[in-house]
């Protein structure tokens, strides 16, 4: 028994910590929550800036003009990465929850999600940043 009265479980520690400390499953859980919150805040901002067109078309145009900034373009790439990870990992979470073999294959599915994410993000990054990089180095 531990000092809190709970029985000790053998094999539940990993590197002196709890079972999940530093484990890949924990980090996928954290990343899923963070990407969900980031996506929510983007959608909230998007609704607000789109609503500006009814209030003041000039203010709307000003806001949309700021989105052409290279830094904002990097944020857009990050948003696409967050939404893509959240969607792919959400499918994995559903499979773990509702497929009888999901828990057995959850680690393999996570690596598959990460591999698909990288395969999609590499060309996505290129095509999203192509205009920005061209503008920065003086291309047309």
């Amino acid at each position: 028994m531990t000092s809190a009265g709970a029985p000790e479980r053998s094999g539940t520690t990993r590197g002196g910590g709890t079972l999940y400390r530093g484990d890949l499953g924990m980090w996928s859980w954290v990343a899923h929550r963070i990407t969900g919150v980031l996506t929510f805040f983007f959608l909230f901002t998007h609704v607000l800036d789109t609503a500006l067109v009814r209030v003041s078309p000039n203010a709307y145009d000003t806001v949309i003009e700021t989105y052409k900034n290279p830094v904002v373009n990097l944020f857009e790439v990050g948003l696409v990465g967050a939404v893509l990870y959240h969607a792919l990992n959400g499918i994995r979470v559903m499979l773990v929850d509702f497929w009888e073999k999901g828990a057995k294959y959850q680690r393999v599915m996570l690596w598959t999600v990460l591999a698909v994410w990288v395969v999609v993000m590499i060309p996505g990054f290129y095509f999203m940043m192509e205009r920005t990089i061209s503008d920065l180095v003086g291309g047309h």
Side-chain angles (χ1 to χ4, degrees), residues 69-137:
N69 184 312
V71 174
V72 174
N73 191 224
L74 275 176
F75 283 129
E76 289 174 338
V77 172
L79 173 67
V80 168
V83 170
L84 180 63
Y85 174 80
H86 192 78
L88 293 171
N89 194 55
I91 293 168
R92 182 186 75 89
V93 168
M94 287 189 293
L95 287 171
V96 169
D97 287 346
F98 298 114
W99 180 35
E100 63 187 34
K101 295 181 182 178
K104 179 180 179 183
Y105 295 112
Q106 68 88 19
R107 184 175 291 274
V108 172
M109 288 189 291
L110 178 58
W111 283 110
T112 303
V113 162
L114 294 175
V116 169
W117 185 86
V118 167
V119 165
V120 173
M121 281 305 295
I122 289 172
F125 179 83
Y126 173 78
F127 288 114
M128 289 183 76
M129 293 300 296
E130 182 178 33
R131 182 185 53 83
T132 297
I133 292 170
S134 176
D135 289 348
L136 288 174
V137 296

Side-chain angles (χ1 to χ4, degrees), residues 28-44 78-79 81-87 89-90:
S28 72
W29 179 87
V30 169
H32 193 75
R33 287 350 180 244
I34 291 171
T35 57
V37 169
L38 291 174
T39 302
F40 170 79
F41 281 118
F42 163 75
L43 290 173
F44 182 73
L79 173 67
V83 170
L84 180 63
Y85 174 80
H86 192 78
N89 194 55

